[in-house]
Amino acid sequence: QVQLVQSGAEVKKPGASVKVSCKASGYTFTAYYIHWVRQAPGQGLEWMGWINTHTGDTNYAQEFQGRVTMTRDTSINSAYMELSRLSSDDTAMYFCARAGEGFTFGYFDYWGQGTLVTVSS
Amino acid sequence: EIVMTQSPATLSVSPGESATLSCRASQSVSFSLAWYQQKPGQAPRLLIYGASTRATGIPARFSGSGSGTEFTLTISSLQSEDFAVYYCQQYNNRQTFGQGTKVEIK
């Protein structure tokens, strides 16, 4: 069965960086785009960007340009999201999600369980 | 950017009743509209894509309709496990989410 398993919770200081991983199983990793979505406490869903797991191409939301880097390692079927220059506003649950077959931007049919990132001095 | 507006923000419904949730797009998204359900502490779960196609394993009491700029998610005969927050998402032009509708027990 399709699974996306994310790395564990992180606590970071302001100005630091965080790298979250998302390990895929149950399907051909390079056949589907991986997106990253975050959710601040009590808030809605905010799209951050995607990575083409086949080519490594990326596309980021304007709000995160210059601060986010998405990568992948096809040898271990994993995608990564690194966010730098963290502030308290970045405290959120971060999700990876798989775009539906054939889609670059698309609906998200499978989601990771989420990784809580807390930014606090 | 296409703005997605959901209404109402909160919907109070008794178990066994039906619920109708609305989602409006600031410009046409054709049929490229998905609905998700999210319970506290969980990831969103895909319910509907293509405006009206139920995702794998989703009960028939969930139905989606609409096209262009107006969309509806109907949940017939609400069960206890259906009380949650529901989000719409367009994916016709990049992608954007609505702000969510909370379905609570009346």
Side-chain angles (χ1 to χ4, degrees):
Chain A
Q1 72 284 19
V2 174
Q3 279 193 302
L4 299 174
V5 178
Q6 299 183 223
S7 49
E10 302 263 12
V11 179
K12 296 292 182 180
K13 293 195 182 301
S17 298
V18 68
K19 190 171 186 177
V20 179
S21 68
C22 172
K23 184 171 178 59
S25 61
Y27 72 98
T28 301
F29 177 66
T30 52
Y32 297 81
Y33 284 62
I34 290 287
H35 291 241
W36 290 88
V37 175
R38 77 176 185 180
Q39 187 171 39
Q43 302 301 307
L45 302 168
E46 181 178 25
W47 178 75
M48 299 181 70
W50 56 247
I51 182 165
N52 179 329
T53 53
H54 177 60
T55 65
D57 290 343
T58 55
N59 184 285
Y60 304 138
Q62 190 169 5
E63 308 86 88
F64 300 101
Q65 290 275 2
R67 269 207 316 139
V68 70
T69 303
M70 296 178 188
T71 57
R72 94 290 189 220
D73 184 339
T74 58
S75 69
I76 56 171
N77 292 346
S78 292
Y80 304 90
M81 186 284 299
E82 184 170 20
L83 189 63
S84 63
R85 303 195 303 275
L86 293 169
S87 73
S88 57
D89 291 342
D90 295 313
T91 294
M93 187 72 81
Y94 290 77
F95 297 100
C96 62
R98 190 185 84 163
E101 186 173 12
F103 283 98
T104 302
F105 287 97
Y107 57 87
F108 303 140
D109 55 0
Y110 289 93
W111 295 66
Q113 83 278 18
T115 296
L116 180 62
V117 175
T118 302
V119 183
S120 174
S121 55
Chain B
E1 175 182 292
I2 298 177
V3 177
M4 307 301 292
T5 303
Q6 292 186 241
S7 60
T10 304
L11 189 59
S12 298
V13 185
S14 299
E17 293 185 340
S18 66
T20 301
L21 288 65
S22 295
C23 177
R24 174 176 292 177
S26 61
Q27 64 189 75
S28 176
V29 299
S30 187
F31 293 92
S32 300
L33 193 285
W35 290 94
Y36 300 87
Q37 175 194 69
Q38 188 179 32
K39 297 179 182 178
Q42 296 185 16
R45 172 194 181 195
L46 177 67
L47 298 175
I48 301 285
Y49 63 92
S52 62
T53 302
R54 277 189 301 277
T56 303
I58 301 303
R61 65 180 182 273
F62 291 92
S63 62
S65 63
S67 65
T69 62
E70 301 284 343
F71 300 89
T72 300
L73 174 69
T74 301
I75 313 169
S76 61
S77 188
L78 270 149
Q79 308 294 302
S80 57
E81 62 266 29
D82 300 335
F83 293 96
V85 178
Y86 293 82
Y87 293 95
C88 63
Q89 176 215 15
Q90 69 80 18
Y91 50 94
N92 187 67
N93 184 334
R94 297 174 68 82
Q95 73 82 43
T96 44
F97 291 100
Q99 80 280 18
T101 290
K102 181 180 181 179
V103 178
E104 64 177 23
I105 301 175
K106 187 175 182 179

